[in-house]
């Protein structure tokens, strides 16, 4: 009886392992890599960017880790293969974007770091195209790029502290010449920058998640909404009330949402 009992126990354990193994395998198969899942990650995570496939390149995704490094993966037949990774960038990354800032048909990978580096990498060869602008920075908090004037190329906008001090200022540089176009006289603190036309004048506005809205032509402050955490930790622009002007939707630390109508200068939800 004991031998039979032990034998039956062995059979039971063997069958259980097979069932568990098949279940795990099916679970892994249900979570296989696919374009839709990658695009969802792009929407959720700030330092995760999906590159759509072209005639010459498969779908790719780029992400920044805490190393700090940048990783680029090719996606083929449902699997990801490492295409390139950067060396140690020296400090945590504070911005990651892929954009054709020169408007020459060639997007670049742009990153900024906590210790004040701004680096652009070629999207095809991953070689370093350039680093930094006219002046060195001690730290950079956030960065974005958009075309806010009459020339064809983008402007690069970021919040940074110059090497040697001088406060946390808003800088605007030309993406091609890398020359300074404007620097604020007052201090700004922000962890995210957006650019969009949120009022009834023709030029876009620069929106800081800390609650400042700055006119991109005259560089005057159109709105200050700093109480209650400003607009939120993370912000997006979307016209929710169909008035033709996007509202700022911000996520607060407790994950609740705040919707602010800049055109009407009031919080609506």
């Amino acid at each position: 009886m004991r031998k039979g009992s032990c034998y039956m126990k062995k059979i039971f354990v063997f069958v259980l392992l097979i069932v568990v193994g098949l279940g795990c395998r099916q679970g892994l198969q249900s979570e296989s890599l696919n374009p839709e899942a990658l695009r969802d990650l792009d929407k959720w995570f700030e330092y995760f960017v999906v590159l759509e496939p072209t005639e010459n390149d498969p779908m790719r995704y780029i992400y920044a880790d805490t190393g700090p490094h940048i990783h680029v993966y090719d996606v083929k037949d449902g699997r990801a293969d490492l295409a390139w990774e950067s060396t140690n960038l020296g400090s945590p990354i504070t911005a990651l974007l892929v954009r054709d800032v020169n408007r020459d048909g060639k997007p670049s990978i742009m990153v900024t770091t906590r210790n004040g580096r701004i680096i652009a990498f070629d999207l095809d060869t991953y070689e370093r195209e350039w680093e930094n602008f006219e002046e060195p920075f001690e730290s950079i908090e956030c960065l974005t790029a958009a075309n806010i004037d009459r020339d064809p190329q983008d402007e690069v906008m970021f919040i940074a502290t110059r090497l040697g001090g001088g406060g946390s200022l808003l800088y605007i540089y030309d993406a091609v010449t890398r020359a300074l176009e404007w620097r604020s006289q007052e201090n700004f603190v922000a962890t995210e920058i957006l650019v969009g036309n949120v009022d009834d004048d023709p030029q876009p506005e620069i929106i800081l998640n800390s609650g400042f809205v700055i006119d991109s032509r005259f560089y005057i402050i159109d709105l200050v909404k700093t109480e209650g955490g400003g607009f939120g930790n993370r912000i997006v622009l979307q016209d929710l009330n169909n008035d033709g002007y996007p509202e700022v939707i911000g996520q607060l630390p407790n994950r609740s949402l705040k919707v602010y109508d800049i055109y009407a200068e009031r919080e609506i939800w």
Side-chain angles (χ1 to χ4, degrees):
M1 291 296 294
R2 288 182 179 179
K3 290 183 179 180
S5 177
C6 290
Y7 178 76
M8 292 300 295
K9 287 181 180 179
K10 289 180 181 179
I11 293 294
F12 176 77
V13 171
F14 179 71
V15 172
L16 181 62
L17 287 173
I18 292 176
V19 172
V20 171
L22 288 174
C24 291
R25 186 176 179 183
Q26 290 174 355
L28 290 173
Q29 288 177 342
S30 67
E31 298 296 331
S32 62
L33 194 62
N34 61 77
E36 290 73 21
L38 290 174
R39 293 185 186 106
D40 285 341
L41 292 175
D42 189 316
K43 294 175 184 177
W44 277 100
F45 297 111
E46 188 175 357
Y47 300 151
F48 189 100
V49 179
V50 170
L51 304 176
E52 296 296 335
T54 65
E55 292 183 2
N56 301 319
D57 296 299
M59 173 174 274
R60 290 176 287 175
Y61 64 85
I62 304 171
Y63 74 89
D65 67 19
T66 58
H69 307 86
I70 308 167
H71 307 267
V72 181
Y73 280 83
D74 292 336
V75 180
K76 299 178 182 178
D77 301 323
R79 57 175 292 177
D81 295 314
L82 180 66
W84 173 76
E85 60 183 355
S86 70
T87 57
N88 192 312
L89 297 174
S91 65
I93 290 170
T94 55
L96 168 66
L97 71 154
V98 176
R99 188 174 173 88
D100 181 10
V101 294
N102 296 338
R103 297 299 173 96
D104 60 359
K106 294 180 59 179
S108 301
I109 305 170
M110 291 186 62
V111 296
T112 61
T113 68
R114 183 72 63 193
N115 66 0
R117 301 177 73 185
I118 303 177
I119 312 169
F121 297 95
D122 186 283
L123 191 57
D124 296 322
T125 65
Y126 307 117
E127 294 180 357
R128 187 174 304 179
E129 295 180 328
W130 50 265
E131 180 171 351
N132 294 339
F133 290 105
E134 290 180 340
E135 53 189 314
F137 298 100
E138 183 175 301
S139 64
I140 298 173
E141 298 301 320
C142 52
L143 173 144
T144 194
N147 191 350
I148 60 173
D149 58 21
R150 296 179 181 179
D151 58 28
Q153 67 265 22
D154 279 355
E155 281 65 49
V156 180
M157 293 151 274
F158 54 94
I159 301 290
T161 301
R162 280 186 291 182
L163 197 64
S168 179
L169 308 178
L170 172 61
Y171 291 84
I172 301 177
Y173 276 82
D174 184 278
V176 172
T177 65
R178 303 213 303 275
L180 178 66
E181 292 190 357
W182 181 76
R183 177 176 57 228
S184 67
Q185 297 298 311
E186 60 184 290
N187 291 344
F188 289 105
V189 176
T191 56
E192 192 168 4
I193 306 177
L194 296 182
V195 175
N197 195 347
V198 294
D199 58 23
D200 58 357
D201 58 31
Q203 65 268 13
E205 283 69 45
I206 302 167
I207 301 107
L208 308 182
N209 69 321
S210 53
F212 291 91
V213 179
I214 302 159
D215 185 283
S216 67
R217 181 180 180 184
F218 301 105
Y219 304 126
I220 60 174
I221 297 176
D222 286 342
L223 179 74
V224 179
K225 174 67 172 65
T226 55
E227 69 275 9
F231 295 131
N233 288 16
R234 299 189 64 182
I235 56 175
V236 296
L237 297 178
Q238 182 65 50
D239 185 3
L240 295 177
N241 57 13
N242 199 31
D243 64 354
Y245 304 103
E247 287 73 51
V248 181
I249 306 172
Q251 180 175 279
L252 302 179
N254 64 0
R255 299 185 181 181
S256 62
L257 299 182
K258 177 189 296 187
V259 181
Y260 195 89
D261 188 330
I262 294 176
Y263 180 63
E265 298 188 4
R266 63 186 179 89
E267 190 171 329
I268 58 175
W269 293 344

